[in-house]
Amino acid sequence: MSVLFNQKHLLLEFFYFLVSCKHKPRRLLPTTLSYRRMLIYFATPLLTGGLVILLFWMKGWVAMAAPMSLIFYGLSLLHASHFTLTDIKYLGIIDVVLGLAAILWIQHSLLIWGIGFGIVHIGYGIYIYLRYERISSQA
């Protein structure tokens, strides 16, 4: 359990670091009410998913870890999309669909997990950069 907690804690700290770095030039504090709400909306399904995965693991259903992590991470993104870019909800939908596909094809769940957390995130990062960051850096 401590391994899962440490990973989630590191993820939240990294998320906080990214947001605070983005806001430093504008002198905005990431501790605003909107930020706290977004963090709660993001963390609630994510931590719940971590507990569900832990319970599945304890029952011996180790193969369900990859699909469940995709599903709950996608749900977290869907919830957090109310407070950030609305395009994030599409990444959440893609992750939920990939998680459901990983349940259907459990023998390929690790490959689908790699696609969801690897290829899809890289592609989505390029898309977000081209849509938002490149335009703002040219201005």
Side-chain angles (χ1 to χ4, degrees):
M1 179 161 166
S2 65
V3 173
L4 286 176
F5 176 74
N6 288 337
Q7 289 175 349
K8 303 258 190 253
H9 184 70
L10 286 173
L11 176 70
L12 291 175
E13 283 186 21
F14 181 69
F15 185 67
Y16 178 81
F17 171 75
L18 288 179
V19 171
S20 65
C21 287
K22 184 77 175 166
H23 289 292
K24 279 184 183 176
R26 292 187 242 146
R27 296 183 185 251
L28 295 175
L29 293 176
T31 57
T32 62
L33 181 61
S34 175
Y35 173 77
R36 279 185 259 152
R37 283 184 183 162
M38 180 192 63
L39 192 59
I40 290 170
Y41 272 62
F42 182 77
T44 303
L46 196 64
L47 293 174
T48 304
L51 291 174
V52 168
I53 291 169
L54 181 64
L55 292 173
F56 279 167
W57 196 287
M58 289 169 43
K59 290 286 189 180
W61 301 343
V62 179
M64 293 300 289
M68 287 294 136
S69 64
L70 276 169
I71 290 171
F72 282 102
Y73 178 68
L75 291 174
S76 296
L77 290 175
L78 281 171
H79 283 272
S81 69
H82 299 293
F83 300 98
T84 184
L85 302 174
T86 55
D87 293 327
I88 297 297
K89 76 177 167 189
Y90 300 116
L91 179 61
I93 292 169
I94 291 169
D95 280 341
V96 169
V97 169
L98 283 173
L100 294 173
I103 290 175
L104 286 175
W105 297 290
I106 200 74
Q107 67 274 16
H108 301 295
S109 64
L110 195 56
L111 176 66
I112 295 171
W113 182 86
I115 291 169
F117 281 114
I119 296 171
V120 171
H121 274 78
I122 291 170
Y124 218 77
I126 292 169
Y127 167 75
I128 293 294
Y129 173 77
L130 293 175
R131 181 155 183 193
Y132 296 105
E133 296 294 325
R134 185 178 62 148
I135 294 170
S136 65
S137 66
Q138 289 177 355

